[in-house]
Amino acid sequence: MSVSHSSRLNKGVREQYMKLPQGGMAQVTYVWIDGTGEGVRCKTRTLDQEPKTIDEIPEWNFDGSSTYQAEGSNSDMYLVPVQMFRDPFCLDPNKLVMCEVLKYNRKSAETNLRHTCKKIMEMVGDHRPWFGMEQEYTLLGINGHPYGWPENGFPGPQGPYYCGVGADKVYGRDIVEAHYKACLYAGIKICGTNAEVMPSQWEFQVGPCEGIDMGDHLWMARFILHRVCEDFGVVATLDPKPMTGNWNGAGCHTNYSTESMRVEGGLKHIEDAIEKLGKRHDYHICVYDPRGGKDNSRRLTGQHETSSIHEFSAGVANRGASIRIPRQVGQEGYGYFEDRRPAANCDPYAVTEALVRTTILNETGSETKDY
Ligand code: ADP
Ligand code: MN
Ligand code: MN
Ligand code: MN
């Protein structure tokens, strides 16, 4: 059996309770990034009335010693609400709220990369940086084996699965469709989805989002994905190379533009930005997965539609390059470009911040600057 026990509980019985009126109260689920920089955690409290804005949701706290986050004996950490979404699981008037994590001394937790990202995005607000991220992920049974794959063996080689239709081509579409609807309900700027090259691998896209919104929306979309998968009894992994061998890895291609790239003559600004990125490849690789490039080294081999982790390259319509300029952008002469290097398990706050530091703030070298 590859699906979890709790997914086999009677969902009809659950519905009876979910329909009960809740006396004007609102359930607010606080969501945060744990000490691994990859895991998301949540807990829920009751507010006396529906919060209308983020300012109406109070700070809260949690036990950081249980999330790999506490420092010594000071295990209380602060949860600071930063972006509110509708709750697609408990429905209106209930909320999901993305939070920043502060330590006992009110300094950012090590994995709270939003704090500096926000600062940088505010500095460059005039450039109106837009991002769109393509989140690839792989469905696993609770046995850790890709969902739908033969128990003892492998599916046929890659080819028929990408954007495929049919029971022998794609596995787990129920999850993908449920996640898509749940994100729309929540107010996530999800803009599309498709089946990927490896069977049981899927992608959804979020964007375009301006500035800090990219990280907030993608992290909440990931939370919703894990939560939907829990209902179906399977697991979504963001591991950048879940299966070794002739199977595609999972990335988080990051599409990026500034105001000047999006108007006539923009291609020149796109090329300028790519030139700056080419001179800072190592820094970006270091930021594009939670282990300083170690995770991504399993994926960026130069095969399976990736570039080599050791070399920077760019090209129009080239899916084997670090950076791709979409064909349409090359033809029209303005638009955006795609950085194909970020791993599926990257932190979008770190990725978007790095793009801005290099292309707008003109940083070079391996160090970041304090402003
Ligand atoms: P691909 O062809 O690489 O698979 P997708 O269609 O999966 O591309 O994703 C395209 C992404 O580009 C989406 O996330 C979308 O929001 C984003 N995007 C579109 N226009 C812009 C823009 N001007 N600036 C930044 N991102 C953009
Ligand atoms: Mn895509
Ligand atoms: Mn893809
Ligand atoms: Mn892409």
Side-chain angles (χ1 to χ4, degrees), residues 29-30 37 40 48 112 120 152 167 177 202 217 243 263 282 291-292 297 316 327-328 333 336 343 355:
T29 297
Y30 290 56
V40 277
D48 288 343
N112 177 12
I120 296 294
N152 300 301
E177 293 183 345
W202 296 86
H217 281 240
M243 299 307 281
V263 296
D282 293 349
R291 267 161 288 274
S297 67
V316 175
R327 191 179 304 284
Q328 192 194 343
Y336 63 97
L355 282 167

Side-chain angles (χ1 to χ4, degrees), residues 134 136 194 196 203 253:
E134 306 168 44
E136 293 179 338
N194 59 269
E196 269 305 333
E203 169 180 315
H253 298 168

Side-chain angles (χ1 to χ4, degrees), residues 67-236:
T67 59
Y68 318 115
Q69 277 168 309
E71 292 225 323
S73 54
N74 289 308
S75 73
D76 269 14
M77 311 281 284
Y78 296 100
L79 288 172
V80 182
V82 290
Q83 184 123 211
M84 184 170 81
F85 298 91
R86 291 166 75 200
D87 181 341
F89 307 102
C90 297
L91 309 186
D92 292 334
N94 305 306
K95 307 295 178 200
L96 302 177
V97 60
M98 193 64 211
C99 297
E100 277 196 34
V101 177
L102 305 184
K103 297 189 280 202
Y104 66 95
N105 57 11
R106 296 197 68 84
K107 292 214 171 9
S108 291
E110 270 70 30
T111 54
N112 177 12
L113 305 187
R114 186 185 191 275
H115 196 75
T116 52
C117 181
K118 177 105 190 309
K119 206 167 80 181
I120 296 294
M121 292 303 169
E122 278 168 359
M123 281 179 63
V124 303
D126 289 351
H127 294 259
R128 316 297 300 267
W130 289 5
F131 305 93
M133 295 180 82
E134 306 168 44
Q135 178 69 65
E136 293 179 338
Y137 61 95
T138 308
L139 298 176
L140 306 176
I142 46 158
N143 56 10
H145 197 58
Y147 176 73
W149 285 32
E151 289 281 329
N152 300 301
F154 297 92
Q158 295 183 158
Y161 311 114
Y162 170 74
C163 297
V165 199
D168 56 342
K169 307 281 193 311
V170 294
Y171 309 133
R173 194 189 298 276
D174 284 352
I175 291 164
V176 175
E177 293 183 345
H179 172 256
Y180 202 155
K181 289 272 190 187
C183 281
L184 287 175
Y185 181 94
I188 305 276
K189 255 188 133 185
I190 187 168
C191 60
T193 188
N194 59 269
E196 269 305 333
V197 174
M198 182 179 105
S200 269
Q201 202 168 77
W202 296 86
E203 169 180 315
F204 64 86
Q205 301 98 28
V206 177
C209 291
E210 188 163 329
I212 196 69
D213 276 356
M214 184 68 251
D216 291 347
H217 281 240
L218 185 59
W219 273 111
M220 192 55 86
R222 286 177 178 177
F223 171 80
I224 292 172
L225 177 65
H226 294 307
R227 177 65 185 74
V228 167
C229 281
E230 179 186 320
D231 278 347
F232 284 100
V234 303
V235 172

